[in-house]
Amino acid sequence: MNRLIWKDLDRDARAAALRRPVQEVAQRTRDAVALLLNDVAARGDDALRELTARFDGVVLDALEVDAAEFSAAEAAVAPALKQAMRDAAGRIEAFHRAGMAQPYAVETAPGVVCERMIRPIPRVGLYVPAGSAPLPSTALMLGVPARLAGCREVVLCTPPRADGSADPAVLVAAQMTGVARVFKLGGAQAIAAMAYGSDSVPRCDKLFGPGNSYVTEAKQQVAQGGRVAIDMPAGPSEVLVIADDGADAAFVAADLLSQAEHGPDSQVLLLSDSADLLTRVEQALSEQLRQLSRSEIAAQALEKSRLIQVAALDDAFAISNTYAPEHLILALREPRNWLEKVEAAGSVFLGDYTPEALGDYCSGTNHVLPTAGAARAYSGVSVASFQNFVSVQAASRAGIAAIGECALTLARAEGLDAHANAVALRLEAAA
Ligand code: NAD
């Protein structure tokens, strides 16, 4: 990791310190993804099979998981893992249910009632990554809120394994949340399949889920067409830790590594006002890194990561708000007292005993979160992400009498005669 002292950096060096690895590959990825999307749009299932052979190294006959594969998965997953998934799903449901929006109605003038109704998005597509590690937890994070929202059809794509099967734990998690159809497709081609539809895969109204740079770029490109919506840019994972001198260096190092092991393009940042803490974390990182099964991946991610010494913790919050991390850990004494300084972050973890891994799996919050600075304007997945909010208004005769003049004045000011006429006719009839 690079160690930096913030006050010694000029403007350019500060920008470089906060640059994400994913930004460096953007143009190459954009071009590659555009070609993949066009191919799937033009050739459907044939393109999907070819691209799966090229990128996942497996030739598939049927793209969809059938009943026999679901049963085999059910038998293959250990009871303890199933129980852990059930426990996690229960807490995810409790948290997400409590946050559900309610319909409401307001009388905005005598005889004028405005309402907001909530409707599930009919057909949604979920992406569950499995390139470098299958993530059954993501199936829970997407499937639980989709079910709470009441979506009519939930389709899930996840990359196939080398033997052509889907990851059994992903299948069990999908079934647990009531996902109806699972397709063995990964990367940009999976996103294209759900956005455009093919003979095998139904076209979806909105796409959800995290993934690598190809998946994230594909989601953004299909959304530009306007026919399909996406949850948010949820790309390569990142964490920013703000730690004080009292923080436990081993805990902080473990949290940094738990992000770094996601992939070489993950990014981890540590900000502290204590040079001593930074040194202790450096030592803990090299000790813990050696023991990880994914140490090679984590080491690559660490190369692009930074330990930054700040003059005061207030500076750390200013940097964090500019960076807008997906995950923000406050390894501080009295962390709640600092919470109001947080302006932009996907999910916040308070204190020494709240590792980010809890939010990844089972505290109850969602782990599908905005990355690459998108947390400045996007929020993590919630039940509302799977719903449409439809407004309704009803005016009685008394209602149009009360507010008709207001509409007339505005319509005339905008020079829209037909608008004015539609109101004037009713005003005369209601008089
Ligand atoms: P993935 O499923 O996203 O991607 C695997 C697919 O990428 C493959 O099936 C293949 O089709 C495609 N691919 C690979 N190389 C390609 C190439 N050269 N050209 C075109 N397509 C190619 O799995 P992954 O790679 O393990 O990535 C998962 C990502 O999800 C990680 O970066 C992780 O950090 C991120 N993540 C983010 C969040 C979040 O909420 N933001 C949550 C969990 C995971």
Side-chain angles (χ1 to χ4, degrees), residues 217-305:
E217 175 60 24
K219 281 170 64 187
Q220 285 172 297
Q221 287 191 22
V222 296
Q224 277 164 17
R227 274 207 333 214
V228 64
I230 61 166
D231 50 355
M232 76 193 89
S237 234
E238 54 198 37
V239 66
L240 187 150
V241 182
I242 300 178
D244 58 18
D245 193 56
D248 184 311
F251 290 1
V252 172
D255 287 343
L256 297 174
L257 288 169
S258 70
Q259 272 312 293
E261 75 173 355
H262 265 301
D265 49 6
S266 295
Q267 191 172 43
V268 306
L269 296 174
L270 170 61
L271 309 180
S272 181
D273 57 348
S274 162
D276 184 53
L277 186 270
L278 293 178
T279 304
R280 284 186 281 129
V281 171
E282 266 178 328
Q283 284 160 0
L285 277 172
S286 58
E287 279 160 29
Q288 292 182 23
L289 180 63
R290 282 198 296 273
Q291 293 155 24
L292 295 177
S293 58
R294 294 164 67 89
S295 60
E296 240 172 71
I297 293 175
Q300 286 177 53
L302 286 187
E303 271 170 31
K304 295 166 199 135
S305 300

Side-chain angles (χ1 to χ4, degrees), residues 3-207:
R3 192 158 163 178
L4 304 165
I5 297 178
W6 192 252
K7 72 172 173 45
D8 295 345
L9 304 180
D10 63 17
R11 216 180 122 112
D12 289 349
R14 286 180 175 191
L18 300 183
R19 191 168 298 133
R20 284 146 161 113
V22 70
Q23 288 162 341
E24 287 157 21
V25 293
Q27 190 53 50
R28 208 167 17 137
T29 309
R30 260 200 288 278
D31 296 343
V33 164
L35 289 174
L36 296 176
L37 296 182
N38 288 339
D39 197 14
V40 175
R43 298 194 301 122
D45 281 355
D46 287 344
L48 291 173
R49 287 199 180 84
E50 277 177 35
L51 294 171
T52 303
R54 190 188 326 161
F55 292 118
D56 301 297
V58 54
V59 178
L60 291 180
D61 188 18
L63 300 175
E64 185 165 3
V65 172
D66 61 15
E69 193 176 343
F70 273 119
S71 307
E74 196 59 46
V77 175
L81 176 53
K82 280 189 204 156
Q83 189 54 47
M85 290 200 285
R86 270 193 292 273
D87 289 351
R91 277 188 291 274
I92 296 164
E93 177 165 342
F95 178 71
H96 287 70
R97 188 185 286 285
M100 284 174 73
Q102 298 300 322
Y104 67 92
V106 178
E107 193 177 31
T108 56
V112 180
V113 176
C114 295
E115 298 166 52
R116 196 174 75 168
M117 348 186 263
I118 303 174
R119 295 289 182 268
I121 296 175
R123 194 187 277 153
V124 294
L126 316 181
Y127 185 80
V128 173
S132 103
L135 301 180
S137 53
T138 301
L140 300 178
M141 294 291 172
L142 297 174
V144 168
R147 187 182 54 197
L148 287 172
C151 296
R152 203 165 57 220
E153 191 172 349
V154 185
V155 168
L156 186 151
C157 282
T158 192
R161 302 189 295 181
D163 67 359
S165 64
D167 179 75
V170 169
L171 294 185
V172 168
Q175 278 205 310
M176 224 173 245
T177 64
V179 170
R181 303 182 68 184
V182 177
F183 295 88
K184 291 179 276 191
L185 291 168
Q189 58 273 21
I191 299 303
M194 294 190 283
Y196 307 140
S198 75
D199 287 344
S200 300
V201 185
R203 189 173 75 75
C204 297
D205 302 306
K206 187 169 180 182
L207 309 185

